[in-house]
Amino acid sequence: MTDIILILPVIFSIILFLMKSRTLNNLLVILYSVIFLLAAIFLYFNPNSSGSVFNNYFKVDSLNILFLLILAVVFAGVALYNHSFVKSLNLVVSQHKKYSIGIILFIFSMTGAILSNHLGLSWVFIEATTLASAYLIYLPNTKQSLEAVWKYVFICSIGISLAFVGIILLLIASEQVNSLFFDELYINAGKIIPFWLKLSFIFILTGFGTKVGLAPVHSWLPDAHSEAPSPVSALLSATLLNSAFLVLLRYYKLMDLSGLSGFANTLLTIMGIMSISITAIFVFNSNNYKRMLAYSSIENMGIAAIGITLGPVGIYAAMLQLFAHSLIKSSFFLTAGNILTLFETKKINKISGLLKKDRLTGWLWIACFVGISGLPPSPLFLSKFLLLKELFSNNQIVFASVFLLLLLIILFGIGRSVITMTFSEAEEANRQTESGYLYKFMYIPQAVFLTGAAIVGIYTPSFIYNLLNNAVIGCQ
Amino acid sequence: MIDTLILLFGLTGLLMSIKSRIKTIINILSLQGVILFLIILFSHKASLSLSYLFLIFETLIIKALFIPSLLNKILLKNSVDRETEPYIPNFYSLVISSFILFSGITISNYYAPFSVNMTPLFFGVSFSAILTSLFFITTKKKLLTHVIGFAMLENGIFLFSLAIADEMPLIVNLGVLLDVFIAVFILGLLIGKINTVFHDTSSCTLCNLKDCGCDD
Amino acid sequence: MIEYILNIAIISVYPFLFIGIINKIKAFWGGREGASVFQPLYDFIKLLKKGEVISSTTSFIFNITPSLNLAAVLFAGLFVPLINQKAIISFEGDFILFAYILALSRFFSIISAMDTGSSFEGMGASREVSFSTLVEPAFFITIASIAALSGVNSFQNLSLILQNTGETGYLIIILSIVVIFMMILVEGCRVPVDDPNTHLELTMVHEVMILDNSGPDLALINYANSLKMILFSSLIANLMIPAGATLLNASICFTGIVLFLAILIGTIESGTARYRMTRLFEFIFLMSSVSLLILALTMIAIYESPVGVIK
């Protein structure tokens, strides 16, 4: 079954490369997303059927089935949105072809990174995500997007090279073990030399942390996520950060098994709180709503990083955080795409009276804001609550207060912009301009995601609870 | 013999920080490739195995010839001003890189537990090459020098990965692949586009996306 | 006994020949016949016979400096091993005394230059000061490292380094030779640090400091300068000549090495221009960087083989 998920995108992209048909482009992307979703659900119920041609390199266990399902669900929604979105872009057939191939290869590389059981292979796939998504970010073909893609490729490549140094240091540390398979490393965790392992963790945290978007190596994130077309932004923010986070999570488990969890916790906490502070500073005065959303992604990744340092309850909170963040942030970015189509500007102070212009988009925008800021019924409320409970029970009162204060600042910053955009009176200039047409499919995915998130926030269905729980157990 | 070559590699890192003509820096990059080729020649027994041939190909052809020639082509086509523009004067950059080199070798001599494969000189020089190239990237203004610094980073990582080449040749090949991919991608595609789009050399190239609340 | 006679001969004759050979090589590269190799000796004798012109704005420092200069260099030369690796006086830590005696001579030449009250000489003095400031760490780190490796903290057993260390010893010696050679260029005021043939005062460094000296004082200053170069060259020679060589072999090698260095300096002078000031500071600091590298290698060598080596 894992074979199908891995080989199918390659076949599809080759077909798309050879043919030149617009309908085929759309069809294959949606077909891929549907098959992917079905395969992921199948793998959830039958995890043992994941024996494949590639033997040990790809494996589905309780930790990455969660991330795989998140990827599948988000991709399904984004593919539907994308189907209508490309109509507004007016692409030439060859550009459309390259765009679709780009999306398929991007999802393929993320799948590989999630499913891989070998550290070196994960590294290769994370590197491949950078290269695959570079073309997608450059699609608007403007000066800003060129600058964004340059920063993205360059900074992420430096990060990946540093992660490679970390892998080499791990190999020096684990001389007798001499293998990069995660399960073999876990079994032999006692034989790894602590000094080298610590040094290796620093490099791997810096390297993969660049892809996750933790401060201080986050500088590519606001540019890349804001300049990409909206479905691509949604994918970048909701799924790519997760895939890199998974690799960090597996490495954290290795550190835990070797007894160095104190060292790892310190580093992760520092980077987490720095991420949240950076967001609090920059989201306040931002004039570009997509940039604001990108900074919010940095904040959520920081919260997840702090979460995994706090023991099993913290890891549960982090998993819930990642799950909810993927759903809500993807709807946020897709709705931002709607706004861009309607107003044709990315600046907050030029947009007003969203509710009057298009009622449904306005309410979706508000609903996304309620979701991302952690107001109930959003599941982010549950995750942050659990995190704070853990912090208080560990007697880290000062840290928890700083944490709360920063979250408050972020809530105010985002809320001010969102509410100004939505509830204000429409200005004269806006009423006259001709706006783009919003197809039906540009509302449905967001609505489904938000409803699903709200349901999880109010009453977690048992299968989601089991899913998250097993992921936590898989991380112990 | 290997120690001499590693020392020469470390000295090229120092030289990079004082030279200010871009052409000279590209030549030093090519020299680094040749030194890596000689290190492989002297440290492994010559054989016709695929991984050995691949390493020879990678160092001699790609690192020493292909990447510098690509950089030279870009330099000829796009640059008006062929000097590196550093944010800090070359003198202080030399001071900092020599301290990085010195502390790298000394710390690795006294503090790190070692095995048979790696001498302190090896570890110190490769580690400090990585740090020096990161420093090089962050203190220069031009985009082409950023790419050159990245190529230096790749050379340093390659040297570092030679330490474990015996047990896991796969890793060295992975690093090589990274080098090739990034070289082709960054150098070939993007820089050509950037230099055609951003014509004005007087203003800052990468400063369009900003976070101020200004209304531009 | 015979070594002392040879050492005195070296101190008296070699400086003139050194400069003479450098000039001859420069003439060769310039396609000219050039002056005779003994020309500096003839100049020295000519200057000794001349009278002196002393400016009325100077004080007693201007009078005593040339003699003090020569006396300091001769005194420093007592510590440097010339032929057969034996210095006339040697004790532990003598290289520190060597460095500071030379610094004393440099200090006096600088204040004598400023004593004349001419702004050109002041400018030359400030440049000279900055060069020697940057050279000093290089000198100390290099000499201290190789002295520590030789077993005794002095110039004495430089040729015994190779017996105590392995392959790292060769690297250290080669790097030290490079550093000391660059020091010859700085101390002897040669290209690329300072052009001795320039006649524009704005581009001079050392020459401008001795603009006002004349007659026997000028002769003494020139002689002291070239003697400094010979002392450093003999350091290089003692690093290269192995320990147990016979007197004949050692003297032939010594002469050969000094000759080779003179030819090398002449070639560099013909082939390079003086570096511009900012680049020059980087060049001089490069010596300190390489000497830091020597220090790191020395620590590796000491760490590896603690037997018979003073830590």
Side-chain angles (χ1 to χ4, degrees):
Chain A
M1 184 48 72
T2 43
D3 291 353
I4 300 183
I5 305 187
L6 290 170
I7 299 184
L8 196 63
V10 182
I11 299 178
F12 276 177
S13 44
I14 295 180
I15 296 178
L16 280 182
F17 185 67
L18 295 172
M19 307 273 213
K20 223 186 186 187
S21 145
R22 233 184 249 276
T23 44
L24 200 59
N25 286 338
N26 289 334
L27 178 68
L28 281 186
V29 171
I30 295 193
L31 189 62
Y32 178 41
S33 70
V34 167
I35 297 181
F36 194 86
L37 186 59
L38 292 175
I41 297 179
F42 179 75
L43 276 173
Y44 173 61
F45 287 113
N46 304 16
N48 292 329
S49 74
S50 60
S52 74
V53 175
F54 302 105
N55 256 339
N56 231 352
Y57 283 98
F58 296 104
K59 208 171 67 153
V60 176
D61 60 14
S62 54
L63 183 55
N64 59 10
I65 189 67
L66 170 68
F67 288 90
L68 194 66
L69 277 173
I70 295 177
L71 175 60
V73 169
V74 171
F75 180 43
V78 169
L80 279 177
Y81 184 89
N82 185 42
H83 175 74
S84 324
F85 180 74
V86 293
K87 293 184 197 159
S88 68
L89 277 181
N90 295 330
L91 295 173
V92 187
V93 181
S94 60
Q95 270 181 318
H96 191 191
K97 176 177 83 169
K98 286 190 214 160
Y99 179 66
S100 310
I101 295 181
I103 290 192
I104 293 182
L105 286 178
F106 184 38
I107 302 287
F108 164 62
S109 46
M110 279 196 284
T111 322
I114 292 178
L115 288 177
S116 138
N117 192 26
H118 185 265
L119 183 55
L121 201 59
S122 307
W123 179 83
V124 171
F125 274 113
I126 298 270
E127 173 61 37
T129 61
T130 312
L131 299 176
S133 49
Y135 179 74
L136 295 173
I137 298 180
Y138 181 55
L139 194 70
N141 222 341
T142 62
K143 210 165 159 182
Q144 284 96 331
S145 67
L146 184 58
E147 180 183 335
V149 92
W150 170 260
K151 272 192 194 166
Y152 174 59
V153 172
F154 197 68
I155 296 182
C156 286
S157 302
I158 296 183
I160 288 294
S161 310
L162 289 179
F164 187 65
V165 176
I167 294 182
I168 299 178
L169 284 168
L170 175 66
L171 280 174
I172 298 178
S174 63
E175 268 184 41
Q176 298 139 328
V177 180
N178 208 13
S179 130
L180 283 178
F181 285 103
F182 280 115
D183 29 15
E184 286 181 33
L185 282 174
Y186 292 153
I187 294 175
N188 295 320
K191 296 191 207 150
I192 304 184
I193 307 175
F195 174 78
W196 289 120
L197 189 59
K198 278 199 246 184
L199 197 57
S200 153
F201 183 70
I202 296 179
F203 274 97
I204 291 216
L205 185 58
T206 318
F208 284 116
T210 310
K211 285 303 274 191
V212 172
L214 295 171
V217 279
H218 67 286
S219 34
W220 58 275
L221 212 149
D223 301 330
H225 285 210
S226 65
E227 295 302 322
S230 307
V232 177
S233 296
L235 278 179
L236 281 174
S237 194
T239 51
L240 178 58
L241 305 184
N242 284 355
S243 324
F245 197 83
L246 175 62
V247 182
L248 262 185
L249 205 54
R250 289 203 194 269
Y251 209 82
Y252 177 75
K253 178 175 173 182
L254 178 63
M255 291 289 282
D256 201 12
L257 287 174
S258 305
L260 293 173
S261 53
F263 178 76
N265 285 348
T266 321
L267 286 181
L268 278 167
T269 317
I270 293 177
M271 285 182 93
I273 200 73
M274 255 206 282
S275 310
I276 308 180
S277 329
I278 295 268
T279 309
I281 297 172
F282 281 103
V283 91
F284 218 72
N285 240 339
S286 181
N287 198 18
N288 181 343
Y289 52 88
K290 284 183 88 167
R291 244 179 128 81
M292 184 179 77
L293 298 183
Y295 275 115
S296 163
S297 299
I298 299 180
E299 169 220 345
N300 284 303
M301 284 299 138
I303 295 179
I306 296 181
I308 62 176
T309 65
L310 290 172
V313 179
I315 299 181
Y316 180 82
M319 296 293 163
L320 188 57
Q321 169 93 17
L322 288 175
F323 173 73
H325 169 250
S326 298
L327 289 181
I328 300 179
K329 190 48 72 65
S330 51
S331 357
F332 225 154
F333 267 112
L334 296 179
T335 318
N338 284 359
I339 298 183
L340 189 60
T341 317
L342 284 174
F343 287 89
E344 294 183 10
T345 172
K346 285 188 192 158
K347 300 211 177 298
I348 295 182
N349 57 6
K350 294 225 166 71
I351 298 180
S352 50
L354 180 59
L355 210 51
K356 299 229 171 10
K357 186 115 183 180
D358 185 6
R359 182 163 283 258
L360 204 48
T361 307
W363 281 116
L364 276 175
W365 192 239
I366 293 287
C368 289
F369 164 65
V370 166
I372 202 76
S373 51
L375 299 169
S378 158
L380 286 181
F381 171 73
L382 280 177
S383 69
K384 290 179 192 167
F385 187 78
L386 281 173
L387 218 100
L388 277 169
K389 169 178 147 335
E390 269 306 297
L391 281 176
F392 277 117
S393 64
N394 285 352
N395 268 334
Q396 290 171 290
I397 312 268
V398 177
F399 184 72
S401 335
V402 171
F403 183 69
L404 272 175
L405 182 64
L406 290 171
L407 287 182
L408 185 66
I409 298 177
I410 296 173
L411 168 64
F412 179 63
I414 301 183
R416 188 173 64 164
S417 309
V418 166
I419 293 180
T420 320
M421 281 167 68
T422 325
F423 288 116
S424 56
E425 286 297 322
E427 296 182 14
E428 279 303 321
N430 276 340
R431 279 205 207 119
Q432 262 77 25
T433 54
E434 213 177 271
S435 60
Y437 176 66
L438 289 176
Y439 299 86
K440 260 197 297 290
F441 272 137
M442 289 167 107
Y443 301 106
I444 297 184
Q446 292 100 298
V448 171
F449 283 163
L450 286 172
T451 329
I455 294 178
V456 171
I458 299 177
Y459 166 66
T460 320
S462 59
F463 84 93
I464 299 224
Y465 181 69
N466 285 338
L467 183 63
L468 293 171
N469 235 355
N470 289 338
V472 174
I473 296 176
C475 195
Q476 285 300 302
Chain B
M1 196 58 211
I2 299 182
D3 274 351
T4 319
L5 289 169
I6 297 175
L7 204 61
L8 275 178
F9 191 86
L11 283 176
T12 56
L14 284 184
L15 270 183
M16 282 274 206
S17 48
I18 58 176
K19 299 291 176 190
S20 57
R21 281 199 312 172
I22 298 188
K23 188 125 201 327
T24 320
I25 294 187
I26 296 179
N27 288 342
I28 298 179
L29 202 62
S30 162
L31 179 67
Q32 279 187 342
V34 172
I35 294 178
L36 285 175
F37 164 68
L38 289 174
I39 291 181
I40 292 186
L41 209 58
F42 280 107
S43 68
H44 291 253
K45 278 207 292 283
S47 65
L48 280 176
S49 72
L50 191 61
S51 68
Y52 183 71
L53 285 177
F54 186 60
L55 283 179
I56 297 276
F57 171 75
E58 150 78 6
T59 49
L60 194 55
I61 306 290
I62 295 186
K63 281 195 198 285
L65 293 176
F66 179 63
I67 292 186
S69 74
L70 210 54
L71 287 167
N72 270 324
K73 235 189 289 187
I74 296 175
L75 181 66
L76 276 176
K77 213 169 34 152
N78 290 317
S79 273
V80 175
D81 179 19
R82 301 196 185 153
E83 300 247 322
T84 65
E85 289 170 21
Y87 283 121
I88 65 177
N90 282 342
F91 183 73
Y92 301 115
S93 153
L94 176 65
V95 173
I96 293 178
S97 349
S98 53
F99 268 112
I100 291 177
L101 186 58
F102 173 67
S103 40
I105 301 180
T106 326
I107 292 178
S108 69
N109 188 29
Y110 284 119
Y111 286 114
F114 274 102
S115 62
V116 177
N117 249 340
M118 274 235 289
T119 61
L121 189 62
F122 198 97
F123 185 76
V125 168
S126 49
F127 207 70
S128 50
I130 295 174
L131 290 178
T132 307
S133 53
L134 283 175
F135 176 71
F136 186 85
I137 292 177
T138 48
T139 54
K140 306 264 188 253
K141 233 187 270 184
K142 281 213 166 101
L143 285 183
L144 190 57
T145 51
H146 287 177
V147 179
I148 294 175
F150 187 74
M152 262 176 79
L153 180 66
E154 288 300 317
N155 285 347
I157 294 180
F158 185 78
L159 187 63
F160 199 48
S161 67
L162 285 180
I164 45 148
D166 289 331
E167 292 120 33
M168 255 205 136
L170 173 68
I171 288 297
V172 183
N173 295 337
L174 273 183
V176 158
L177 277 175
L178 169 69
D179 204 358
V180 172
F181 260 127
I182 296 302
V184 170
F185 201 97
I186 292 187
L187 299 181
L189 303 177
L190 285 180
I191 247 216
K193 280 217 168 90
I194 287 220
N195 275 303
T196 50
V197 170
F198 292 101
H199 283 300
D200 41 0
T201 49
S202 56
S203 66
C204 167
T205 317
L206 287 182
C207 299
N208 281 320
L209 296 174
K210 275 199 269 260
D211 270 312
C212 60
C214 51
D215 204 335
D216 60 348
Chain C
M1 188 62 212
I2 195 169
E3 294 153 358
Y4 290 129
I5 297 180
L6 279 176
N7 282 348
I8 294 177
I10 288 177
I11 291 184
S12 335
V13 177
Y14 271 35
F16 302 115
L17 288 179
F18 198 77
I19 302 284
I21 293 175
I22 292 180
N23 289 334
K24 196 76 169 169
I25 297 293
K26 277 164 72 172
F28 166 73
W29 284 113
R32 297 176 271 125
E33 175 83 23
S36 134
V37 179
F38 293 103
Q39 186 61 37
L41 181 60
Y42 301 148
D43 285 338
F44 181 73
I45 297 175
K46 171 188 82 170
L47 282 170
L48 279 180
K49 293 189 208 158
K50 283 194 168 188
E52 259 187 60
V53 177
I54 300 181
S55 159
S56 53
T57 56
T58 60
S59 64
F60 71 98
I61 292 186
F62 189 76
N63 284 330
I64 67 171
T65 294
S67 330
L68 191 101
N69 212 354
L70 182 59
V73 177
L74 281 174
F75 184 59
L78 291 178
F79 305 114
V80 176
L82 295 171
I83 294 248
N84 215 14
Q85 295 95 39
K86 274 214 209 47
I88 302 181
I89 309 179
S90 84
F91 50 90
E92 232 180 80
D94 56 7
F95 61 92
I96 304 182
L97 188 59
F98 174 80
Y100 281 114
I101 293 291
L102 285 183
L104 181 75
S105 89
R106 201 179 304 117
F107 172 70
F108 268 95
S109 64
I110 286 172
I111 59 173
S112 116
M114 294 171 73
D115 195 19
T116 62
S118 151
S119 50
F120 281 131
E121 310 207 7
M123 177 193 78
S126 75
R127 287 175 176 176
E128 177 90 10
V129 159
S130 46
F131 294 163
S132 22
T133 314
L134 290 175
V135 165
E136 191 172 316
F139 178 75
F140 272 119
I141 296 177
T142 312
I143 300 291
S145 312
I146 57 183
L149 271 184
S150 69
V152 182
N153 283 333
S154 93
F155 281 137
Q156 198 170 335
N157 294 331
L158 286 182
S159 48
L160 290 178
I161 291 179
L162 281 177
Q163 289 178 352
N164 287 338
T165 60
E167 188 192 330
T168 328
Y170 282 107
L171 283 177
I172 294 178
I173 288 184
I174 294 178
L175 283 178
S176 315
I177 289 178
V178 171
V179 173
I180 299 179
F181 179 72
M182 284 159 91
M183 258 192 277
I184 295 181
L185 293 178
V186 175
E187 295 278 340
C189 307
R190 294 273 137 196
V191 174
V193 176
D194 175 20
D195 191 355
N197 276 348
T198 175
H199 29 263
L200 307 167
E201 289 93 345
L202 274 175
T203 61
M204 294 180 184
V205 178
H206 178 80
E207 291 297 315
V208 74
M209 280 173 22
I210 56 176
L211 264 185
D212 272 350
N213 291 302
S214 52
D217 281 349
L218 188 57
L220 294 182
I221 289 181
N222 285 340
Y223 176 63
N225 216 16
S226 18
L227 186 57
K228 256 199 284 190
M229 286 204 276
I230 291 286
L231 291 180
F232 280 108
S233 316
S234 74
L235 276 181
I236 293 184
N238 279 300
L239 277 174
M240 288 170 71
I241 300 179
T246 64
L247 188 57
L248 184 64
N249 286 342
S251 13
I252 295 180
C253 286
F254 184 86
T255 315
I257 290 175
V258 172
L259 187 66
F260 175 71
L261 284 174
I263 296 177
L264 190 59
I265 293 180
T267 315
I268 292 181
E269 273 207 33
S270 313
T272 330
R274 202 202 75 173
Y275 288 159
R276 70 169 196 243
M277 270 301 160
T278 44
R279 274 246 241 130
L280 198 50
F281 291 135
E282 293 156 18
F283 175 75
I284 298 181
F285 192 78
L286 193 60
M287 288 164 53
S288 305
S289 309
V290 178
S291 67
L292 277 179
L293 203 54
I294 296 176
L295 179 62
L297 284 173
T298 312
M299 288 207 263
I300 292 181
I302 291 181
Y303 200 65
E304 276 171 12
S305 60
V307 179
V309 168
I310 294 183
K311 285 213 195 163

